[in-house]
Amino acid sequence: MSGSLKMMEAYRDDNKTKKQDAPALCDLHCCKDGPIRNGLIGQKSPSINPERLKDFGEEDYLNGDVKTWEMKIVSRNEELLRDALSRIPQSSSRTSLSSYNKLIRFEDISAAAFKIQCGVQKTPCMYSRLSKQYGVDIYLKKEFLQYTGSVKERGVLYLLTSLPQDQQRKGVIVASDSNFSMAVAYHASELRIPVFVIMSTSTSPARVKMCREYGAMVISYGTTAKDSQTHARRLAQENGYLYLEEEDSAVYLSGLGTVGLEVYEQVPKLDAVIFPAGGHCGLLAGSAAALKHLNPHISVIGVESESFPVLQQSLKAGHPIEDQACSNHHFYGDVSGLCFGSNSLQLTGKLVDKVVAVREEDILVSMLRLLEYERATVDAEGAIGLAALVAGKLPELKGKRVAIVICSGNLELYLLQQCIARALTLDNRVCRFSLVLSDCPGDISKLLEILAREEARVLDIKQERTFVTSELFTVEVTCTLETRDKIHTAQLKNALLERYPTAAWTER
């Protein structure tokens, strides 16, 4: 056995020893005074030494597929649920849980809610100050407050706790840097399940570090996601790990559907609930099943990106489509993912009242609104629900009571600055103009006096004397300014054009 596989075996055996004395799920997260959300009492997740990983990515590919467990909900009873897992035959093909599942029932979601109640946060659903701005009573379900910053924890925890004990002892393996993988890393570690995460070498160092801190063994391998997935399947086949990827199994959808239960409980007399959609519409489908059972009159609305209308196209075609135009840019996350299963699609077509698409500009402005009004730093997937109101796509909700699920807050730091700067420009609060002045003392100070009188804040000012096409002894001045809003920008523009008719404004 190679050195790297020996290290993986040592890590798995170490987790086996710890798992023998590990308490039950609720014992890990609860105490006599009530639930302790996320984390152990007086215990620490097993840490992984990065130096142990150095040889893991150096092995060659092996052909072959992975043995997988297929899951099927047969009853609301948890004992029958576990029995179902043990009766399902193994497959030698790609992990495909959906083919063995029927549409989830309300009882399945209730069972999931009971089982994961001590392992995930019951996040607040609070009235928002944005309500007055958009003429809608807005309640924000803040799922980005989960430990890993994503709603995916709900489905992952229920999925992991539903695995047979022998599979829990062997371990699980995933191959991506998505919110799903982060949730698997954290909750598998909390449950003392050996967990391995294969990431491509292009993954940001911050996400690699975070995944290791959750307790997973992280292996960097390959330059693409396909390379990482192939390597993960190979390691799973050799070591007996269960290869997990995000699909629309009934177990996973039932866990995600618990969001619908909580929203219904937290906000009385709801008129509508808005969810992120896109290809990964498990949250929308699972929650719709819960909400429509509790009150068929509640409107369930999905929102996806106008650039990647995967769900709308799949619903129109009647089957999941593979949209080749999907983006791999981290800004979009699961918003631009492929439609991953027929179960989610069937539930969506049956229970969801409306699916709308919004522009990237609307998503950016929504991120800005949430940061300013709610002090919430969210990513595109988290902000896309509010974007439907920002874009005016849902005029029928005026005066109604609406809950919006803010499902994810995992925005890369390097993207945060770009997103906020772009959103301020789109919101007409940052503008730029250029003009030519004579290169004489006092001319620039007169310009600054006008800007001060109009209460504009100067963010940047540049002077160009060499590369100018105007007459000699002139200077081209370019100013970047911050204004209050669109009206203030228009007033400033008029004041400057009155004094400097040749001023040129940079369009968005």
Side-chain angles (χ1 to χ4, degrees), residues 281-317:
C281 58
L283 173 62
L284 171 65
S287 297
L291 288 166
K292 288 296 186 180
H293 176 88
L294 293 166
N295 184 353
H297 300 294
I298 294 177
S299 295
V300 178
I301 301 170
V303 186
E304 63 181 345
S305 171
E306 205 173 74
S307 303
F308 317 104
V310 181
L311 181 56
Q312 289 179 325
Q313 293 177 8
S314 297
L315 289 171
K316 186 176 180 179

Side-chain angles (χ1 to χ4, degrees), residues 70 129 209 232 247 337 342 401 504:
E70 311 294 350
R129 291 192 298 128
K209 178 183 177 183
E247 290 195 341
S342 57
R401 180 171 290 196

Side-chain angles (χ1 to χ4, degrees), residues 185-396:
Y186 170 67
H187 282 290
S189 297
E190 292 290 285
L191 295 169
R192 299 293 187 262
I193 299 174
V195 53
F196 304 88
V197 180
I198 314 299
M199 294 182 174
S200 67
T201 55
S202 60
T203 303
S204 69
R207 292 190 76 84
V208 173
K209 178 183 177 183
M210 187 179 301
C211 198
R212 285 175 178 163
E213 289 176 349
Y214 288 149
M217 171 76 81
V218 180
I219 304 169
S220 294
Y221 191 95
T223 58
T224 65
K226 186 176 180 180
D227 293 340
S228 301
Q229 291 164 4
T230 302
H231 193 57
R233 290 192 179 97
R234 168 217 165 179
L235 293 176
Q237 185 181 41
E238 290 181 346
N239 298 277
Y241 309 137
L242 175 63
Y243 176 71
L244 293 177
E245 57 184 341
E246 189 174 9
E247 290 195 341
D248 65 343
S249 67
V251 176
Y252 185 64
L253 293 184
S254 297
L256 294 177
T258 59
V259 174
L261 289 179
E262 290 187 11
V263 170
Y264 183 83
E265 174 190 344
Q266 292 170 314
V267 186
K269 299 180 181 179
L270 263 177
D271 294 304
V273 186
I274 301 175
F275 295 92
H280 292 191
C281 58
L283 173 62
L284 171 65
S287 297
L291 288 166
K292 288 296 186 180
H293 176 88
L294 293 166
N295 184 353
H297 300 294
I298 294 177
S299 295
V300 178
I301 301 170
V303 186
E304 63 181 345
S305 171
E306 205 173 74
S307 303
F308 317 104
V310 181
L311 181 56
Q312 289 179 325
Q313 293 177 8
S314 297
L315 289 171
K316 186 176 180 179
H319 58 82
I321 65 167
E322 295 186 2
D323 189 346
Q324 300 300 322
C326 287
S327 171
N328 291 323
H329 199 288
H330 282 180
F331 170 74
Y332 297 100
D334 291 341
V335 172
S336 64
L338 297 175
C339 194
F340 62 40
S342 57
N343 283 347
S344 296
L345 190 63
Q346 189 175 351
L347 278 170
T348 301
K350 180 179 179 182
L351 301 174
V352 174
D353 297 277
K354 189 175 184 179
V355 178
V356 299
V358 295
R359 301 176 304 159
E360 179 181 298
E361 291 85 348
D362 301 319
I363 299 174
L364 288 170
V365 173
S366 297
M367 293 169 66
L368 178 62
R369 294 283 185 270
L370 290 168
L371 180 61
E372 286 189 309
Y373 285 82
E374 299 294 331
R375 300 297 183 262
T377 305
V378 303
D379 53 22
E381 190 178 2
I384 197 169
L386 179 62
L389 296 182
V390 171
K393 295 281 187 173
L394 301 170
E396 68 273 16

Side-chain angles (χ1 to χ4, degrees), residues 156-167:
V156 164
L157 180 57
Y158 192 43
L159 185 63
L160 292 174
T161 55
S162 299
L163 294 177
Q165 289 189 357
D166 61 336
Q167 186 59 59

Side-chain angles (χ1 to χ4, degrees), residues 51-62:
E51 282 71 19
R52 298 172 62 188
L53 310 176
K54 59 185 179 181
D55 297 326
F56 275 74
E58 299 177 357
E59 301 192 14
D60 298 327
Y61 291 110
L62 291 180

Side-chain angles (χ1 to χ4, degrees), residues 126-140 369-370 373-374 386 389 397-404:
M126 303 170 60
Y127 182 79
S128 174
R129 291 192 298 128
L130 290 164
S131 301
K132 295 181 179 179
Q133 187 168 346
Y134 296 105
V136 179
D137 286 342
I138 299 175
Y139 292 81
L140 299 179
R369 294 283 185 270
L370 290 168
Y373 285 82
E374 299 294 331
L386 179 62
L389 296 182
L397 297 183
K398 290 289 184 182
K400 301 291 184 66
R401 180 171 290 196
V402 179
I404 302 176

